[in-house]
Amino acid sequence: MLILTRKPGQVVTINLREDVDLKTPVGELFAQGSIEVMVTAVNGAQVKLGIRADPRFLILRKEISAREPETMYRGKRAATT
């Protein structure tokens, strides 16, 4: 389980890892269960989230995922399909 602390307005992104074939059936991605998001703690204006998902999902804080521009990321993925 990945544990992240977020403040109001901060974002968590969930996407497929770059090496996952976009033609993978959704049922296969969720064969081991759904994505679970659990609030593990609340401290003032901060919430600590626990996220459990198939390892083929990439879960990042928005500020981390923003390091690589969306168009560049999509371009790489589009080239593999």
Side-chain angles (χ1 to χ4, degrees), residues 15 18 22 64-80:
N15 207 332
E18 192 172 327
L22 295 177
I64 300 294
S65 66
R67 289 182 184 169
E68 185 173 356
E70 283 289 322
T71 54
M72 185 176 169
Y73 183 73
R74 286 191 180 131
K76 285 183 187 176
R77 292 180 61 92
T80 62

Side-chain angles (χ1 to χ4, degrees), residues 10-32:
Q10 291 182 323
V11 176
V12 174
T13 63
I14 300 175
N15 207 332
L16 290 176
R17 291 189 179 275
E18 192 172 327
D19 61 340
V20 175
D21 185 353
L22 295 177
K23 296 178 184 175
T24 303
V26 173
E28 185 179 321
L29 292 170
F30 290 96
Q32 296 179 11

Side-chain angles (χ1 to χ4, degrees), residues 4-6 11 40 44 49 81:
L4 295 173
T5 301
R6 301 281 73 198
V11 176
T40 61
L49 301 172
T81 58

Side-chain angles (χ1 to χ4, degrees), residues 1-4 6 11-17 34-37 49-62 64-65 73:
M1 179 179 287
L2 174 67
I3 305 291
L4 295 173
R6 301 281 73 198
V11 176
V12 174
T13 63
I14 300 175
N15 207 332
L16 290 176
R17 291 189 179 275
S34 59
I35 296 172
E36 295 180 357
V37 179
L49 301 172
I51 305 170
R52 184 174 308 181
D54 184 290
R56 292 175 284 185
F57 285 99
L58 181 62
I59 304 166
L60 296 172
R61 300 184 322 255
K62 182 68 174 184
I64 300 294
S65 66
Y73 183 73

